[in-house]
Amino acid sequence: KSAFPDRLFIVDGIDLEVQKSIDEAATIIQENFDHVDMLLNVSGILGDNNIATPGPERSISGIDRDWLLKSLNINLVGHVMMTKALFPLLSHRNSPNK
């Protein structure tokens, strides 16, 4: 970030399980930029075989429903919702009118 302060913008503290957190992050980005050239969704969760984080599952019989839903919510749904929130800025650069 220090090497390219005018070309790299990082938003910390986003909770991908909470839509309000995603929306607030998108608002921060929209207030600072008129387009996004590249969106890198580089967060996720992987269990460590504890009670609170039972994954990673090594067999179908080891899948815990609540953990599966939590991991899908963070690793898939949260990223899709962030992309959706920023889509107008992502598609901006390909628009013939902009």
Side-chain angles (χ1 to χ4, degrees), residues 12 35 48 71 94-95:
D12 292 321
H35 70 281
D48 59 7
S71 65
N94 293 325
S95 173

Side-chain angles (χ1 to χ4, degrees), residues 4-81:
F4 302 101
D6 59 329
R7 297 176 63 191
L8 179 64
F9 189 78
I10 298 172
V11 179
D12 292 321
I14 302 168
D15 186 340
L16 292 175
E17 289 186 283
V18 179
Q19 186 62 44
K20 182 178 179 185
S21 178
I22 292 169
D23 293 340
E24 288 172 352
T27 298
I28 290 169
I29 294 167
Q30 291 166 349
E31 288 173 347
N32 285 280
F33 301 96
D34 65 352
H35 70 281
V36 173
D37 291 321
M38 182 184 304
L39 173 62
L40 301 174
N41 289 318
V42 293
S43 61
I45 188 169
L46 177 65
D48 59 7
N49 211 20
N50 286 322
I51 299 296
T53 55
E57 295 78 9
R58 293 182 173 85
S59 69
I60 195 76
S61 63
I63 296 174
D64 175 81
R65 180 181 187 84
D66 291 335
W67 176 252
L68 178 63
L69 290 172
K70 181 178 183 70
S71 65
L72 286 173
N73 196 30
I74 294 170
N75 296 336
L76 175 66
V77 177
H79 294 283
V80 171
M81 297 311 293

